[in-house]
Amino acid sequence: MTRFRLLFAFSILAVLATALVACGGGGGGGGGEDPQKVLDQTFSSNNESVKSGDLSLKFNADVTGSQGGTLNAELSGPFENQGSNQVPKLDFKVKADLSGSKQNFNFDGGLISTGDSAFVNYKGTDYQVDQTLFDQLKQTVQTSSAQQGQNKQSAGAVLKQLGISNPKDLLTNLKNDGTADVEGTSTNHISGDLDINKTVDALKSALSSASALGALGGASTQLPSASQLDQVKSAIKTAHFDLYSGQDDHILRRLTINLSIEPPSGSTKKVDLTFDLTLGKVNEPQTITPPSGAKPFSALLQQLGINPSALGALGALNGIGGGTSGGGGGSVPALPTPPSGTSGASAAQAQKYLNCISKANSAADLQACSALAP
């Protein structure tokens, strides 16, 4: 439990680093020379929305110690928003490489969505997602989008719930680093640091209030204690960000965050985390086409040793509590139920199934979970 709480604390600080940079301060204006004004302009609600672009998202972790290793993960490719409540068009490539003292892992695949159908690439082969499953996903996206619209809160509002009334106070060493080219666009480059002491103190105050628990979505028994947060304060040596904002449109083109952590005890000596988000060809038309000669999705499931009926169980879970209705009042298309499943699955049985698949580490584990499917 202690390790979980410390990991939770580090994760919250990483999220806060992103949110604090995103908040900036009050209204925009000025010529962008002042780094605070660049932040304000970049995250102003008056900016044009990003509806399309070429995304590059990289995450790197370098762990030093007796059980150290490295993780490099990347998601990249074009995307294009199709409008509210619609599945976007995208052509993303996904790569992950884990190299450690006890485990090595390598993944190279991709995901294509045309807005009306989807394809998965695995080991160089394309597979078309079953249309019934895609329609299920599309309905989920529409329902989720509607719920987010009802419960939408700005980053500033969430931080205020956490007891952070003025995010600017938690950013330090802000400076203007001049201009830089990002994917063919001239940008203003600013940098700064997250004041760890002030941030941890604010987080400790936030976790002591009931409203903060709701914002974090966790139970009080799972949250880090004040003493554990103090360990986080001493463990984080660096929390630095670099932001690149379009000179003409003030749209974010790149954001990097670097965390350097030295745990106070244990086999891990140091952890270096890097987050790098880059946007190119912003709001330009994107060409996304379906692959030719794609195989049925069931062929991929068979290759992985997964019983296709397990996907039917996911559809059954979606129907618990009366099902989900679409915007027009129709029911979500039901996926085929597994042979041993029952239409009146209990919430307890559904939870067992979800717990099982959340802990699965291999195709064999997923296959074993199908026995618990409602």
Side-chain angles (χ1 to χ4, degrees), residues 310-362:
L311 295 179
L314 294 176
L317 290 176
N318 190 63
I320 293 174
T324 305
S325 297
S331 300
V332 174
L335 292 175
T337 55
S340 59
T342 58
S343 58
S346 66
Q349 183 69 11
Q351 188 60 52
K352 288 182 180 179
Y353 178 71
L354 286 175
N355 289 340
C356 182
I357 61 176
S358 68
K359 297 176 182 178
N361 294 315
S362 65

Side-chain angles (χ1 to χ4, degrees), residues 22 38 185 195 223 232 260-261 267 276 357 369:
V38 175
T185 297
D195 190 316
L223 298 177
V232 172
S260 181
I261 305 166
S267 59
D276 190 339
I357 61 176
C369 292

Side-chain angles (χ1 to χ4, degrees), residues 92-356:
F92 286 160
K93 291 178 174 59
V94 182
K95 295 182 179 180
D97 185 12
L98 171 65
S99 177
S101 58
K102 291 188 176 181
Q103 184 178 8
N104 292 290
F105 173 80
N106 183 274
F107 177 83
D108 191 346
L111 173 65
I112 296 176
S113 167
T114 64
D116 297 313
S117 58
F119 304 82
V120 174
N121 181 280
Y122 180 68
K123 292 185 176 180
T125 301
D126 294 307
Y127 301 87
Q128 182 169 4
V129 175
D130 179 79
Q131 193 61 41
T132 304
L133 181 60
F134 179 83
D135 290 341
Q136 180 84 35
L137 170 64
K138 189 173 184 177
Q139 185 64 65
T140 301
V141 169
Q142 292 173 342
T143 303
S144 175
S145 178
Q147 291 174 345
Q148 289 178 0
Q150 295 173 353
N151 302 321
K152 186 175 181 181
Q153 286 184 301
S154 67
V158 173
L159 289 173
K160 285 184 178 180
Q161 286 184 330
L162 292 172
I164 303 173
S165 57
N166 192 349
K168 289 189 293 184
D169 292 341
L170 305 184
L171 298 177
T172 185
N173 299 327
L174 288 177
K175 66 176 183 176
N176 191 315
D177 292 308
T179 61
D181 181 278
V182 177
E183 300 295 325
T185 297
S186 182
T187 67
N188 289 314
H189 174 199
I190 66 169
S191 62
D193 299 302
L194 181 65
D195 190 316
I196 299 300
N197 290 332
K198 289 184 179 180
T199 302
V200 170
D201 289 341
L203 188 56
K204 285 196 294 186
S205 175
L207 293 181
S208 65
S209 66
S211 61
L213 296 179
L216 292 173
S220 59
T221 57
Q222 295 179 321
L223 298 177
S225 64
S227 61
Q228 288 169 334
L229 285 173
D230 284 332
Q231 292 182 48
V232 172
K233 182 188 295 186
S234 62
I236 296 182
K237 304 304 180 182
T238 302
H240 183 81
F241 75 86
D242 285 86
L243 180 145
Y244 303 78
S245 176
Q247 283 189 302
D248 294 332
D249 55 20
H250 310 306
I251 292 177
L252 177 70
R253 289 315 202 280
R254 188 181 183 194
L255 173 65
T256 67
I257 297 176
N258 296 279
L259 291 177
S260 181
I261 305 166
E262 297 181 7
S265 61
S267 59
T268 300
K269 301 301 182 183
K270 185 180 180 181
V271 180
D272 290 316
L273 303 175
T274 302
F275 170 90
D276 190 339
L277 168 68
T278 302
L279 281 174
K281 301 179 181 179
V282 174
N283 290 337
E284 295 180 15
Q286 305 297 320
T287 301
I288 299 170
T289 57
S292 59
K295 295 183 178 181
F297 193 57
S298 57
L300 174 60
L301 297 179
Q302 292 174 359
Q303 179 181 344
L304 297 175
I306 300 175
N307 190 332
S309 65
L311 295 179
L314 294 176
L317 290 176
N318 190 63
I320 293 174
T324 305
S325 297
S331 300
V332 174
L335 292 175
T337 55
S340 59
T342 58
S343 58
S346 66
Q349 183 69 11
Q351 188 60 52
K352 288 182 180 179
Y353 178 71
L354 286 175
N355 289 340
C356 182

